[in-house]
Amino acid sequence: MRIAHISDIHCNYGNDFNSKVFDNAVKLLNKTDSDLVFISGDLTTWGLLSEYRLAKEKIKKINGKIAIVPGNHDERNLGYKLFPEFFGDPSFIHMYKNLSFVGLPSSEPDKDDGRLGRRRHRLIEKGIKKCKNLTIVGFHHHLIPVPNSGREKNIIEDAGETLDIILKNEIPLVLMGHRHVPYGVKIHKTLLVNAGTFSCTRTRAHFGHTFNIIDIDNENITVTVVNITNNKQKKMIKFNLENRHHKNRYYTPNIRIE
Ligand SMILES: [Fe+2]
Ligand SMILES: [Fe+2]
């Protein structure tokens, strides 16, 4: 199974959104022939109706199955009322082939902070029950600090409780966004992966615009970061599902991601 993990599109009529980059990124994305495209939030900048319409129009260009959760920006200005209208239920458990995918909204109206809460924790547990071997959890905010993304803020308020559920159940993969840079790290037996920004003008240093390709077979999860500007792909992490050992090349000097 191949999942394309994209994040932080930030459709906007001001200067937050780069439409050219988006169109170019979609061309690359559609060539990846992914079984699922997961969008981890911030489809808009202000949660406005005009931005939701633009996001809907732009996302139509993406081929194949798509699963979407909202970000903090999408819940601004009553945007949380528009999200279900445009993109369906913000909480879901979808079954794909041999895995269950739990998508959760980690945002609250007009707040930048993240929070899941007990109701959504129960949904994670429900997803695990549906598929003991392979459950993937995706939401917008980060669960742990992300390097190269500035001073720490907006981390999920109940990160401790959330991590506890994820780690004790040995969930293999968690997908997140929000920080506009790609990153991946293993904690206990879980791989935590962030996607960078797909088309927001607010990039960080040389990280630019990126998305992740996540290949899952019976043995491994492989995370590849695609640089949208130069179409270069870098294998960031290989994670063995059997013994949960991994090779993380994020810190290998000659193949640094940025
Ligand atoms: Fe964002
Ligand atoms: Fe965000």
Side-chain angles (χ1 to χ4, degrees), residues 48-65:
L48 305 175
L49 181 58
S50 58
E51 293 178 343
Y52 267 98
R53 284 185 177 139
L54 179 62
K56 184 88 181 175
E57 205 50 47
K58 287 290 188 184
I59 287 167
K60 266 190 205 154
K61 296 180 182 201
I62 298 172
N63 297 337
K65 273 187 200 144

PDB file of all heavy atoms in Angstrom, residues 48-65:
ATOM      1  N   LEU A  48     -12.282  30.607   5.655  1.00  0.00           N
ATOM      2  CA  LEU A  48     -13.352  31.363   4.984  1.00  0.00           C
ATOM      3  C   LEU A  48     -14.033  30.527   3.899  1.00  0.00           C
ATOM      4  O   LEU A  48     -13.419  29.636   3.314  1.00  0.00           O
ATOM      5  CB  LEU A  48     -12.771  32.632   4.340  1.00  0.00           C
ATOM      6  CG  LEU A  48     -11.997  33.570   5.257  1.00  0.00           C
ATOM      7  CD1 LEU A  48     -11.372  34.709   4.455  1.00  0.00           C
ATOM      8  CD2 LEU A  48     -12.914  34.123   6.359  1.00  0.00           C
ATOM      9  N   LEU A  49     -15.280  30.882   3.617  1.00  0.00           N
ATOM     10  CA  LEU A  49     -16.049  30.177   2.589  1.00  0.00           C
ATOM     11  C   LEU A  49     -15.320  30.221   1.242  1.00  0.00           C
ATOM     12  O   LEU A  49     -15.217  29.210   0.540  1.00  0.00           O
ATOM     13  CB  LEU A  49     -17.445  30.806   2.478  1.00  0.00           C
ATOM     14  CG  LEU A  49     -18.403  30.180   1.468  1.00  0.00           C
ATOM     15  CD1 LEU A  49     -18.644  28.701   1.748  1.00  0.00           C
ATOM     16  CD2 LEU A  49     -19.735  30.931   1.465  1.00  0.00           C
ATOM     17  N   SER A  50     -14.800  31.396   0.885  1.00  0.00           N
ATOM     18  CA  SER A  50     -14.094  31.524  -0.409  1.00  0.00           C
ATOM     19  C   SER A  50     -12.866  30.610  -0.441  1.00  0.00           C
ATOM     20  O   SER A  50     -12.548  30.019  -1.478  1.00  0.00           O
ATOM     21  CB  SER A  50     -13.682  32.982  -0.636  1.00  0.00           C
ATOM     22  OG  SER A  50     -12.870  33.421   0.430  1.00  0.00           O
ATOM     23  N   GLU A  51     -12.192  30.476   0.692  1.00  0.00           N
ATOM     24  CA  GLU A  51     -11.007  29.607   0.748  1.00  0.00           C
ATOM     25  C   GLU A  51     -11.398  28.129   0.667  1.00  0.00           C
ATOM     26  O   GLU A  51     -10.714  27.338   0.027  1.00  0.00           O
ATOM     27  CB  GLU A  51     -10.220  29.876   2.031  1.00  0.00           C
ATOM     28  CG  GLU A  51      -9.589  31.253   2.072  1.00  0.00           C
ATOM     29  CD  GLU A  51      -8.864  31.519   3.382  1.00  0.00           C
ATOM     30  OE1 GLU A  51      -9.112  30.788   4.378  1.00  0.00           O
ATOM     31  OE2 GLU A  51      -8.051  32.454   3.415  1.00  0.00           O
ATOM     32  N   TYR A  52     -12.505  27.778   1.349  1.00  0.00           N
ATOM     33  CA  TYR A  52     -12.992  26.392   1.264  1.00  0.00           C
ATOM     34  C   TYR A  52     -13.343  26.045  -0.183  1.00  0.00           C
ATOM     35  O   TYR A  52     -13.046  24.954  -0.673  1.00  0.00           O
ATOM     36  CB  TYR A  52     -14.202  26.175   2.179  1.00  0.00           C
ATOM     37  CG  TYR A  52     -13.816  25.660   3.554  1.00  0.00           C
ATOM     38  CD1 TYR A  52     -13.689  26.518   4.632  1.00  0.00           C
ATOM     39  CD2 TYR A  52     -13.554  24.299   3.758  1.00  0.00           C
ATOM     40  CE1 TYR A  52     -13.328  26.041   5.891  1.00  0.00           C
ATOM     41  CE2 TYR A  52     -13.200  23.816   5.009  1.00  0.00           C
ATOM     42  CZ  TYR A  52     -13.089  24.693   6.066  1.00  0.00           C
ATOM     43  OH  TYR A  52     -12.719  24.210   7.307  1.00  0.00           O
ATOM     44  N   ARG A  53     -13.983  27.000  -0.875  1.00  0.00           N
ATOM     45  CA  ARG A  53     -14.345  26.764  -2.285  1.00  0.00           C
ATOM     46  C   ARG A  53     -13.083  26.567  -3.131  1.00  0.00           C
ATOM     47  O   ARG A  53     -13.029  25.689  -3.987  1.00  0.00           O
ATOM     48  CB  ARG A  53     -15.162  27.945  -2.823  1.00  0.00           C
ATOM     49  CG  ARG A  53     -16.593  27.903  -2.321  1.00  0.00           C
ATOM     50  CD  ARG A  53     -17.428  29.006  -2.951  1.00  0.00           C
ATOM     51  NE  ARG A  53     -18.808  28.906  -2.519  1.00  0.00           N
ATOM     52  CZ  ARG A  53     -19.576  29.932  -2.190  1.00  0.00           C
ATOM     53  NH1 ARG A  53     -19.096  31.161  -2.248  1.00  0.00           N
ATOM     54  NH2 ARG A  53     -20.823  29.747  -1.805  1.00  0.00           N
ATOM     55  N   LEU A  54     -12.091  27.407  -2.876  1.00  0.00           N
ATOM     56  CA  LEU A  54     -10.826  27.290  -3.625  1.00  0.00           C
ATOM     57  C   LEU A  54     -10.151  25.946  -3.329  1.00  0.00           C
ATOM     58  O   LEU A  54      -9.671  25.264  -4.241  1.00  0.00           O
ATOM     59  CB  LEU A  54      -9.894  28.460  -3.253  1.00  0.00           C
ATOM     60  CG  LEU A  54      -8.518  28.495  -3.906  1.00  0.00           C
ATOM     61  CD1 LEU A  54      -8.616  28.613  -5.428  1.00  0.00           C
ATOM     62  CD2 LEU A  54      -7.685  29.673  -3.360  1.00  0.00           C
ATOM     63  N   ALA A  55     -10.141  25.576  -2.053  1.00  0.00           N
ATOM     64  CA  ALA A  55      -9.512  24.299  -1.657  1.00  0.00           C
ATOM     65  C   ALA A  55     -10.213  23.123  -2.340  1.00  0.00           C
ATOM     66  O   ALA A  55      -9.568  22.203  -2.851  1.00  0.00           O
ATOM     67  CB  ALA A  55      -9.550  24.145  -0.142  1.00  0.00           C
ATOM     68  N   LYS A  56     -11.539  23.164  -2.371  1.00  0.00           N
ATOM     69  CA  LYS A  56     -12.322  22.089  -3.002  1.00  0.00           C
ATOM     70  C   LYS A  56     -11.940  21.974  -4.479  1.00  0.00           C
ATOM     71  O   LYS A  56     -11.718  20.880  -5.003  1.00  0.00           O
ATOM     72  CB  LYS A  56     -13.819  22.409  -2.845  1.00  0.00           C
ATOM     73  CG  LYS A  56     -14.741  21.351  -3.363  1.00  0.00           C
ATOM     74  CD  LYS A  56     -15.030  20.314  -2.315  1.00  0.00           C
ATOM     75  CE  LYS A  56     -15.939  19.229  -2.826  1.00  0.00           C
ATOM     76  NZ  LYS A  56     -16.123  18.172  -1.863  1.00  0.00           N
ATOM     77  N   GLU A  57     -11.876  23.124  -5.123  1.00  0.00           N
ATOM     78  CA  GLU A  57     -11.538  23.194  -6.555  1.00  0.00           C
ATOM     79  C   GLU A  57     -10.137  22.620  -6.801  1.00  0.00           C
ATOM     80  O   GLU A  57      -9.925  21.826  -7.713  1.00  0.00           O
ATOM     81  CB  GLU A  57     -11.568  24.692  -6.936  1.00  0.00           C
ATOM     82  CG  GLU A  57     -11.832  25.004  -8.374  1.00  0.00           C
ATOM     83  CD  GLU A  57     -13.035  24.281  -8.941  1.00  0.00           C
ATOM     84  OE1 GLU A  57     -14.097  24.278  -8.290  1.00  0.00           O
ATOM     85  OE2 GLU A  57     -12.893  23.703 -10.033  1.00  0.00           O
ATOM     86  N   LYS A  58      -9.203  23.025  -5.957  1.00  0.00           N
ATOM     87  CA  LYS A  58      -7.802  22.596  -6.129  1.00  0.00           C
ATOM     88  C   LYS A  58      -7.648  21.100  -5.838  1.00  0.00           C
ATOM     89  O   LYS A  58      -6.930  20.393  -6.545  1.00  0.00           O
ATOM     90  CB  LYS A  58      -6.893  23.415  -5.196  1.00  0.00           C
ATOM     91  CG  LYS A  58      -6.693  24.850  -5.649  1.00  0.00           C
ATOM     92  CD  LYS A  58      -5.835  24.879  -6.898  1.00  0.00           C
ATOM     93  CE  LYS A  58      -5.431  26.264  -7.322  1.00  0.00           C
ATOM     94  NZ  LYS A  58      -4.671  26.249  -8.585  1.00  0.00           N
ATOM     95  N   ILE A  59      -8.321  20.635  -4.789  1.00  0.00           N
ATOM     96  CA  ILE A  59      -8.164  19.231  -4.379  1.00  0.00           C
ATOM     97  C   ILE A  59      -8.780  18.284  -5.414  1.00  0.00           C
ATOM     98  O   ILE A  59      -8.348  17.140  -5.550  1.00  0.00           O
ATOM     99  CB  ILE A  59      -8.711  19.036  -2.948  1.00  0.00           C
ATOM    100  CG1 ILE A  59      -7.730  19.676  -1.955  1.00  0.00           C
ATOM    101  CG2 ILE A  59      -8.927  17.564  -2.595  1.00  0.00           C
ATOM    102  CD1 ILE A  59      -8.243  19.854  -0.572  1.00  0.00           C
ATOM    103  N   LYS A  60      -9.744  18.802  -6.190  1.00  0.00           N
ATOM    104  CA  LYS A  60     -10.332  17.998  -7.283  1.00  0.00           C
ATOM    105  C   LYS A  60      -9.272  17.529  -8.271  1.00  0.00           C
ATOM    106  O   LYS A  60      -9.455  16.558  -8.988  1.00  0.00           O
ATOM    107  CB  LYS A  60     -11.361  18.857  -8.041  1.00  0.00           C
ATOM    108  CG  LYS A  60     -12.776  18.687  -7.551  1.00  0.00           C
ATOM    109  CD  LYS A  60     -13.727  19.370  -8.523  1.00  0.00           C
ATOM    110  CE  LYS A  60     -15.006  19.753  -7.797  1.00  0.00           C
ATOM    111  NZ  LYS A  60     -15.675  20.895  -8.416  1.00  0.00           N
ATOM    112  N   LYS A  61      -8.162  18.250  -8.355  1.00  0.00           N
ATOM    113  CA  LYS A  61      -7.096  17.896  -9.307  1.00  0.00           C
ATOM    114  C   LYS A  61      -6.295  16.673  -8.859  1.00  0.00           C
ATOM    115  O   LYS A  61      -5.503  16.129  -9.612  1.00  0.00           O
ATOM    116  CB  LYS A  61      -6.130  19.084  -9.465  1.00  0.00           C
ATOM    117  CG  LYS A  61      -6.791  20.300 -10.060  1.00  0.00           C
ATOM    118  CD  LYS A  61      -5.796  21.441 -10.184  1.00  0.00           C
ATOM    119  CE  LYS A  61      -6.518  22.665 -10.737  1.00  0.00           C
ATOM    120  NZ  LYS A  61      -5.624  23.630 -11.342  1.00  0.00           N
ATOM    121  N   ILE A  62      -6.473  16.284  -7.583  1.00  0.00           N
ATOM    122  CA  ILE A  62      -5.736  15.132  -7.057  1.00  0.00           C
ATOM    123  C   ILE A  62      -6.481  13.848  -7.422  1.00  0.00           C
ATOM    124  O   ILE A  62      -7.681  13.733  -7.165  1.00  0.00           O
ATOM    125  CB  ILE A  62      -5.566  15.244  -5.522  1.00  0.00           C
ATOM    126  CG1 ILE A  62      -4.754  16.492  -5.163  1.00  0.00           C
ATOM    127  CG2 ILE A  62      -4.906  13.986  -4.952  1.00  0.00           C
ATOM    128  CD1 ILE A  62      -4.686  16.806  -3.675  1.00  0.00           C
ATOM    129  N   ASN A  63      -5.760  12.919  -8.031  1.00  0.00           N
ATOM    130  CA  ASN A  63      -6.384  11.646  -8.428  1.00  0.00           C
ATOM    131  C   ASN A  63      -6.461  10.669  -7.258  1.00  0.00           C
ATOM    132  O   ASN A  63      -5.609  10.686  -6.375  1.00  0.00           O
ATOM    133  CB  ASN A  63      -5.564  10.962  -9.541  1.00  0.00           C
ATOM    134  CG  ASN A  63      -5.523  11.806 -10.791  1.00  0.00           C
ATOM    135  OD1 ASN A  63      -6.394  12.649 -11.015  1.00  0.00           O
ATOM    136  ND2 ASN A  63      -4.512  11.583 -11.614  1.00  0.00           N
ATOM    137  N   GLY A  64      -7.460   9.815  -7.305  1.00  0.00           N
ATOM    138  CA  GLY A  64      -7.534   8.689  -6.365  1.00  0.00           C
ATOM    139  C   GLY A  64      -8.243   9.009  -5.067  1.00  0.00           C
ATOM    140  O   GLY A  64      -8.846  10.076  -4.894  1.00  0.00           O
ATOM    141  N   LYS A  65      -8.149   8.035  -4.145  1.00  0.00           N
ATOM    142  CA  LYS A  65      -8.835   8.158  -2.841  1.00  0.00           C
ATOM    143  C   LYS A  65      -8.151   9.207  -1.972  1.00  0.00           C
ATOM    144  O   LYS A  65      -6.913   9.250  -1.905  1.00  0.00           O
ATOM    145  CB  LYS A  65      -8.738   6.818  -2.098  1.00  0.00           C
ATOM    146  CG  LYS A  65      -9.848   5.873  -2.470  1.00  0.00           C
ATOM    147  CD  LYS A  65      -9.788   4.643  -1.579  1.00  0.00           C
ATOM    148  CE  LYS A  65     -10.541   3.527  -2.252  1.00  0.00           C
ATOM    149  NZ  LYS A  65      -9.955   2.226  -2.046  1.00  0.00           N
TER     150      LYS A  65
END
